[in-house]
Structures are given as structure tokens and as C-alpha cells.
Amino acid sequence: LWGGSTVMGKRLVSKLSFTTMTALRFGLALPLLTVIVLAKNPDWQGLGQALTFAPVWGNLLYQTIVPSLISMLLYYRGLNTVRASYATIAELAFPATGILVNWLILHQTIDIGQWIGFAIVWLAVLQLSRMQGDAEEPIRPTSPSSSLV
């Protein structure tokens, strides 16, 4: 889901506005994530009861708008002028940074699998950042009037 959204974003960002890209990412991911949560959560009654509380809905709305929507809008806005290699590094750094925030700030326990994943992601980011000879030009959106000139 994450990788597919990234590829979709990079391919379509020059054709669609960054707000449309953000809406597509949320609109396509939400139904799929809902199915995954419902399939993996055997406690249907507990889930139904939790969703009857206003604070749960408030928290879900806050989590959706503040960290997710705002960061996605900024990401797709910046994707117009950033090299694909830099966008890849930023995209890879996101989940690894999330693990650090959970551990350092939220004091969550991180298991061995998450630490291994963290190391793999950061090694990949390090290798990508060391790659030389990236001749790729930044993608600039073309307007219909510029193609006529």
C-alpha cells in the first residue's frame, strides 16, 4: 500500500494537483485499510463499542488531519520539484523515524523485528544517499500553455 501510493504519487504528480494526489492517496487507502482492520480484529463487539465514544472519533479525526493530511499535502507539494532519489530517501525515512518517535517520545516498547526493520531501512537510506551520478532532473509540472510555445 505504502509503496504503491509512492509510485502513484511520483507518476501522477506532474499531471494532477498536489491536493488531488493527497485525496487520491487517502481515498484509495482508507477502504483497503478498513477491510484489513476489520479482518484482523476478531473483537467486533469491542470495536463497535469503542466507536460509540466521541473521544475515539475525535482522536481518529485529529490523527487523520494533523499528522497525516498536513504532512501528505506538504509531501505532494514538494514532490513537484524534488528529484525522485531524494523523494525515495524521504519516503523510506518516514516509517523509520516513526519508530524512533514512538520509542523516544511516546516510550513505546520496540520489538526485535522493528529494530531489524529500522536498521534495514536506514542502511538502504544510507546507500541511496551515497549513490553518485544521479542525473535525474526535477519534475516540473507542465501547463497546457507552455506546450504551445
Side-chain angles (χ1 to χ4, degrees), residues 50-117:
L51 293 176
T52 62
F53 297 114
V56 172
W57 283 105
N59 186 30
L60 286 172
L61 187 60
Y62 173 81
Q63 295 277 337
T64 301
I65 293 173
V66 176
S68 301
L69 182 59
I70 292 172
S71 64
M72 281 291 125
L73 283 168
L74 291 172
Y75 174 75
Y76 283 119
R77 176 70 177 114
L79 200 56
N80 281 324
T81 57
V82 173
R83 291 180 177 180
S85 58
Y86 296 152
T88 300
I89 291 169
E91 193 77 22
L92 283 172
F94 179 76
T97 305
I99 287 176
L100 276 181
V101 168
N102 279 331
W103 181 52
L104 295 173
I105 296 173
L106 301 175
H107 307 290
Q108 297 294 312
T109 302
I110 308 300
D111 65 32
I112 189 69
Q114 290 171 305
W115 282 119
I116 291 170

